[in-house]
Amino acid sequence: MNLTKREFFQVLGAGTMAGMGLSAYAQADVATAAKGLYDIPKFGNVSFLHMTDCHAQLKPIYFREPSINLGVGSMKGNLPHLVGEHLLKVAKIRPGTAEAHALTYLDYEQAAKRYGKVGGFAHLATLVKRMKASRPGALLLDGGDTWQGSGTALWTNGQDMVDACKLLGVDVMTGHWEFTLGMERVKEIIEKDFAGKVDFVAQNVKTNDFGDPVFKPYVIREINGVPCAIIGQAFPYTPIANPRYMVADWAFGIQDDNMQKMVDECRGKGAQVVVVLSHNGMDVDLKMASRVSGIDAIMGGHTHDGMPVASIISNKGGKTIVTNAGSNSKFLAVLDFDVKDKKVADFRYKLLPVFANMLPADAEMDALITKVRAPYEVKLAEKLAITEGTLYRRGNFNGTGDQLLVDALMEVQGADLAFSPGFRWGTTLLPGQAITREWLMDMTATTYSYATMSEMTGATIKTVLEDVCDNLFNPDPYYQQGGDMVRVGGLQYSCSPLETMGKRISDMRINGKLIEADKKYKVAGWAPVAEEARSQGNKQVWEVVETWLAARGGKVTRRKLNAPKIIGALPNPGYAA
């Protein structure tokens, strides 16, 4: 990585999280600067490393953080609902630094070119090894959404990620998108690949018939002689957010009461530290922390919030730390506890960005990645077009990557409008980069990515938008499901996040004309949760998009975002125009 002197000193500014002093490294080279960024002083006697929501990204990527992450009700103005400068102010991080780029959308294109790609398991492996070397006995926790999100994960049925996680040294894991591989495949991996190596825990997954636990609810591991419990919390809304038939025999849910029971059981068995490895989503974790006592920390995932500072939540039993470690193998969280007299006396928390240019690739992991990708490299690298604008997904209402998808679905299928799910996974492309098949799969690779075409009345369209909007903006986190708003192409509308169910969506128009409640419209979409979609012979969404890309003449112009007009919720520190 070649940095100008000015850029080098901006890297040095990363010391707000890493304890790096400018005077100590003023004359240093880039390698020494990177050492300062990742040289975290050891603290206490119990350490946990946390990664989550990597979505099968084995190679370094670009990933733009959201400019819209609205908080409503009591969540307004609080973590994780802060973007841009508001987030940096709370985290006490200077704009223009490496951390500022990792955590925000600010000056994204320029900063991405300056600091390079993030993530990649070979670079993450180097950081994990460094942290484990400085913290003997530290456990690596994987919050889930690991086996899905790329072409190779889809084509290998998750095996590429299973092998990579075993090599990475994951100790304990919970899940969400893992379940979309189907019950049989999940059980096969846990019983064969993970046996004696990785514990898969989830206290809130039971059998439908007798209510028996499907997975171990927790494990107790000793770290430097201290008994530590890790309780698993899988995504509670899996059968709603994803096809029910994929987990037909299993029941999910938040299950606060059972969580309290598991915490008490672990304490009764002598656990001096209790950590919940969660895939609830951060707002749900914050509420759970206020309702369940005896948890020292909830290390969460699902909503992809990279949190540079921990939230401290009070409950009847004391206080609980709540953190979230971002996505796309872009971050590694480090939580150190000082345990004295059989209880936590103090803690330190750091969220470390994984900059591929600052961390050398681990040779063993790099070799594994090369091996598992080899059969697919030609296919992955195929150039489908060049993008003239940045393509990204994250944000409450739309992203240019999803705009590309809905534009393609409408044009190829002759639809009046199109929906794209509010998924938060997906990678970013900078202007001038090739749209490869790999990027397209990064945006669409699921086990049920069928493209659909249906007729809906205007009333049904409003119902769909209202339902998803309530999932996002219900003031009670336990009624939120953690995704973003369905992305809409061809339809303009207004959104009032602070209203109640049925009153948030208004002024729906197609080509400037108000839609009619009784009139039927052609609606394109993809990733249906209905079981019958498997047998309807529909194309995969990437096939439809490839057809559209082929007609672009080699270039895709900068996408114009079709985003709703926001009513009544602004200004908001979770919203940047």
Side-chain angles (χ1 to χ4, degrees), residues 382-387 433-436 549-550 552-556:
E382 183 178 350
K383 294 182 180 180
L384 306 176
I386 300 293
T387 179
Q433 280 196 286
I435 299 174
T436 61
L549 290 170
R552 299 301 98 196
K555 288 187 178 181
V556 172

Side-chain angles (χ1 to χ4, degrees), residues 58-59 120-122 364-374:
L58 288 175
K59 300 287 285 183
F121 260 50
E364 191 176 6
M365 183 65 78
D366 201 40
L368 174 64
I369 294 170
T370 299
K371 178 182 177 182
V372 299
R373 287 173 57 92

Side-chain angles (χ1 to χ4, degrees), residues 46 48 139-142 170-174 190 194-203 215-223 226-233 259 262-263 265-267 269-277:
V46 168
F48 296 94
L139 295 180
L140 176 59
L141 310 183
D142 177 356
V170 170
D171 294 291
V172 187
M173 179 185 183
T174 195
I190 293 170
F194 279 7
K197 299 180 179 68
V198 182
D199 285 306
F200 193 101
V201 292
Q203 69 88 21
F215 310 103
K216 289 185 290 189
Y218 61 82
V219 293
I220 297 179
R221 300 277 196 94
E222 280 202 2
I223 302 177
V226 178
C228 301
I230 302 96
I231 304 173
Q233 176 79 356
M259 176 62 79
M262 293 300 98
V263 173
E265 188 173 304
C266 290
R267 292 291 185 185
K269 290 183 177 181
Q272 297 174 21
V273 177
V274 175
V275 169
V276 171
L277 178 60

Side-chain angles (χ1 to χ4, degrees), residues 195-212:
K197 299 180 179 68
V198 182
D199 285 306
F200 193 101
V201 292
Q203 69 88 21
N204 61 326
V205 185
K206 311 289 178 58
T207 59
N208 279 326
D209 49 10
F210 299 111
D212 296 327

Side-chain angles (χ1 to χ4, degrees), residues 343-409:
K343 62 182 182 180
V344 172
D346 201 356
F347 80 97
R348 297 288 185 274
Y349 168 74
K350 302 289 184 183
L351 183 69
L352 301 178
V354 180
F355 286 105
N357 285 338
M358 295 186 187
L359 291 164
D362 177 75
E364 191 176 6
M365 183 65 78
D366 201 40
L368 174 64
I369 294 170
T370 299
K371 178 182 177 182
V372 299
R373 287 173 57 92
Y376 312 103
E377 279 290 2
V378 173
K379 187 176 182 180
L380 291 168
E382 183 178 350
K383 294 182 180 180
L384 306 176
I386 300 293
T387 179
E388 294 183 346
T390 297
L391 295 176
Y392 66 92
R393 169 165 277 166
R394 278 289 278 119
N396 280 160
F397 296 104
N398 207 347
T400 49
D402 277 308
Q403 189 67 53
L404 183 153
L405 298 183
V406 293
D407 289 347
L409 287 168

